[in-house]
Amino acid sequence: MRVESETWLCIFGVLVAILLRCTTSLHPHSGQGKPPMFGDYEAQRHWMEITVNLPLNEWYYNTSRNDLEYWGLDYPPLTAYHSYICGKFAEFINPDFVALNESRGYESEEHKLFMRYTVLIVDFCLYIPAIILYFILTVKMYKKSDAEIKTESEKQTIPISIQLSIILALFYPGMILIDHGHFQYNCVSLAFAIYAITFLCIHQNILASIFFCLALNYKQMELYHSLPFFLYLLSTCVPKPGQNAIAGFKKLFKIGLTVIITFFVIWAPFLTNINDTKQVLHRLFPVARGVFEDKVANVWCALNVIFKFKLNFTNESMLRYCTIVTLTAVLPSGADLFLRPNVRKFVPALINSSLAFFLFSFQVHEKSILLAVIPVILYSHIEPLTCFWFLIISLFSMFPLIVKDELVLAFVALTTFYVAAIHIILEYSKGKQTKSQTPSNSVLTDMKQVLLDALQVQDGESGLAFVRNLIEKREIFYDLVQYAVVISSLIGCVVLMLLMLIIEPPENYPDVFPLLISAYSCVHFVGFFIYFNIVQFKIPQAVEDVRHIKLKSD
């Protein structure tokens, strides 16, 4: 059997993606050599120390052996179990890695290598296969049915092939920098979420429910994705015209039972004592931390420059206001997904939900943008330019964290490589769609040509000829405007990053550049939120959801 060249390229791309992760791990990690709290690297190590040395009923409690003020465990049980497994391996390799109360801030080349391997293994075993599986299994989902195609121009193919989409998804620098540079295990929960999305898209709702429960029980921030899952799965249980209500109830019962069993299995050790259950829940939702931490690119942080929310409202009040605003922002997308269901709406709905939570919810971190990044990555082969623009802005929004972790060199190298890969693949894909690979079919050449054609006004013709020529080439002209906006936006990003690196901030405003970056990113995210809501609403209700309607005869 002959293997296509793009398939070989995809295999090579996966190997390159692994190499990029390995090389990034050679750079500093968060809090390296910075006592007394160090950083997220130390937090992950400390959780291994706690789970290995203390009984399970002490993991989430403040005791003489477990100081919750020092990186206390504040993630769901699945994270704790993962820490326990890694901790056992650490203890086997070198007991000093996890010695109780004696290993705080432990740093050595041997330990760093061990920690880096733990991330690389779960990335390789969970996240990378999840990305590959999604693009392979959902390729047919985005093809329009004959009933939806009204004109010849609507017979569009997917702009970027599945193989090339996989490469770009795995090259995204944000995941690499945060997990393999800064140091976290985001690839675990996000991989579970991608599996859940994949199974839902191929109508395997029970498996989708199980994997989303796993994602939610690894990191509670998966609540960002919860409403689309809940509403779409509920919509599949609502009887359609011509269907039996009992069948819908059976579906709902199966999904509900699946969720209950999955949660029960994960939480079982903490359900024997109601106080243990309450303590875990208390640790998962720390209201006392405030509406946001550091300078995050959401609405509350941007508006805080004008009106100091933390000074004028209690944390409890802000929690209520944030919840109301967030649910209001998600309402249009959620209502559309439930009332006009179509599986092709699901990923845009995830984008809209996660962006609404990031922009308006309580207790948001800069790294939380990764929850919006994942569905954008999964939609990038459908809306390439907009999605890749979003992905670059998401990287930019985390730049202050990158500077803090001394990962600027890795950031520049990975981002440059990623942008180059995007450009090459977009140009190649455009040439492939027009059955030609010649330079004359490049986007930039087309844009140059449309301007030249528009400016060729014959003698005796009015200036309206310029407008008429532009209208005749309006699709390419639209691309020209879109690219101009994107390039202008990215130039702004580069300028702000250079200012932060070169210029010393005023003494009275030490956070001026992180704040400018956050506000600039926030404006973009609000624009993307509006755009993807429009994208979702443009997708019609699925044909299979209305085909059972019986028309009454006269």
Side-chain angles (χ1 to χ4, degrees), residues 381-393:
H381 60 311
I382 306 301
E383 295 269 352
L385 184 60
T386 305
C387 287
F388 292 131
W389 183 17
F390 175 95
L391 294 173
I392 297 299
I393 296 296

Side-chain angles (χ1 to χ4, degrees), residues 18-58:
I18 296 172
L19 178 63
L20 293 176
R21 285 156 168 77
C22 293
T23 53
T24 301
S25 67
L26 299 175
H27 290 262
H29 54 72
S30 62
Q32 183 168 320
K34 296 176 182 178
M37 295 300 291
F38 301 93
D40 280 338
Y41 177 94
E42 168 61 11
Q44 304 291 340
R45 188 215 60 79
H46 181 64
W47 296 344
M48 297 178 194
E49 170 195 343
I50 292 301
T51 54
V52 166
N53 291 286
L54 298 182
L56 184 141
N57 58 4
E58 288 188 35

Side-chain angles (χ1 to χ4, degrees), residues 139-204:
V139 60
K140 294 180 180 179
M141 182 182 77
Y142 292 104
K143 293 182 178 179
K144 291 185 176 181
S145 64
D146 294 337
E148 292 180 271
I149 298 175
K150 298 179 181 179
T151 63
E152 191 67 25
S153 62
E154 291 186 2
K155 292 183 177 180
Q156 61 183 36
T157 57
I158 295 176
I160 301 179
S161 70
I162 299 306
Q163 296 92 330
L164 299 180
S165 298
I166 291 171
I167 293 174
L168 289 179
L170 296 178
F171 282 1
Y172 172 66
M175 282 294 297
I176 300 174
L177 286 166
I178 297 302
D179 276 14
H180 300 272
H182 174 85
F183 196 87
Q184 281 189 335
Y185 294 99
N186 293 291
C187 54
V188 178
S189 61
L190 295 177
F192 287 145
I194 295 170
Y195 283 119
I197 296 167
T198 303
F199 287 123
L200 186 142
C201 289
I202 61 174
H203 308 292
Q204 298 294 326

Side-chain angles (χ1 to χ4, degrees), residues 221-374:
M221 281 82 76
E222 276 300 323
L223 286 169
Y224 283 40
H225 298 149
S226 60
L227 286 178
F229 271 97
F230 173 76
L231 292 171
Y232 185 81
L233 289 173
L234 185 61
S235 75
T236 64
C237 301
V238 175
K240 307 299 186 296
Q243 293 182 341
N244 193 322
I246 297 177
F249 178 78
K250 286 182 178 179
K251 287 183 181 179
L252 181 61
F253 178 78
K254 289 179 181 178
I255 294 173
L257 186 62
T258 299
V259 171
I260 292 172
I261 292 174
T262 306
F263 265 81
F264 178 80
V265 170
I266 294 171
W267 282 75
F270 301 95
L271 297 178
T272 55
N273 187 322
I274 189 63
N275 291 326
D276 291 346
T277 307
K278 289 180 179 179
Q279 179 62 16
V280 176
L281 292 173
H282 173 72
R283 291 295 300 163
L284 298 187
F285 302 101
V287 178
R289 290 185 182 177
V291 63
F292 57 83
E293 294 187 14
D294 295 326
K295 299 297 181 286
V296 61
N298 77 346
V299 170
W300 305 118
C301 183
L303 294 180
N304 196 64
V305 178
I306 304 170
F307 182 84
K308 302 299 180 183
F309 292 100
K310 292 185 176 182
L311 298 178
N312 289 278
F313 296 104
T314 64
N315 288 334
E316 290 73 17
S317 297
M318 278 305 301
L319 176 60
R320 288 195 297 270
Y321 298 145
C322 290
T323 303
I324 293 171
V325 175
T326 302
L327 293 178
T328 302
V330 179
L331 181 61
S333 171
D336 176 67
L337 185 65
F338 179 73
L339 298 174
R340 301 170 59 243
N342 185 332
V343 73
R344 293 212 313 271
K345 292 174 181 277
F346 185 68
V347 174
L350 286 172
I351 298 173
N352 294 324
S353 176
S354 53
L355 272 177
F357 272 81
F358 180 81
L359 289 169
F360 304 111
S361 69
F362 188 85
Q363 184 46 218
V364 176
H365 300 262
E366 64 271 72
K367 300 181 291 293
S368 299
I369 193 59
L370 293 177
L371 292 154
V373 159
I374 290 302

Side-chain angles (χ1 to χ4, degrees), residues 15 37 62 126-127 189 205 263 274 352 394 405 435 513:
L15 296 176
M37 295 300 291
N62 191 49
L126 288 177
Y127 182 77
S189 61
N205 294 343
F263 265 81
I274 189 63
N352 294 324
S394 71
D405 290 340
K435 306 297 184 182
F513 293 123

Side-chain angles (χ1 to χ4, degrees), residues 45 48-49 52-53 87-103 106 110-111:
R45 188 215 60 79
M48 297 178 194
E49 170 195 343
V52 166
N53 291 286
K88 279 298 182 182
F89 280 103
E91 189 177 42
F92 175 77
I93 295 171
N94 187 343
D96 292 341
F97 289 176
V98 290
L100 186 63
N101 297 327
E102 296 178 3
S103 57
Y106 190 96
E110 183 187 22
H111 182 255

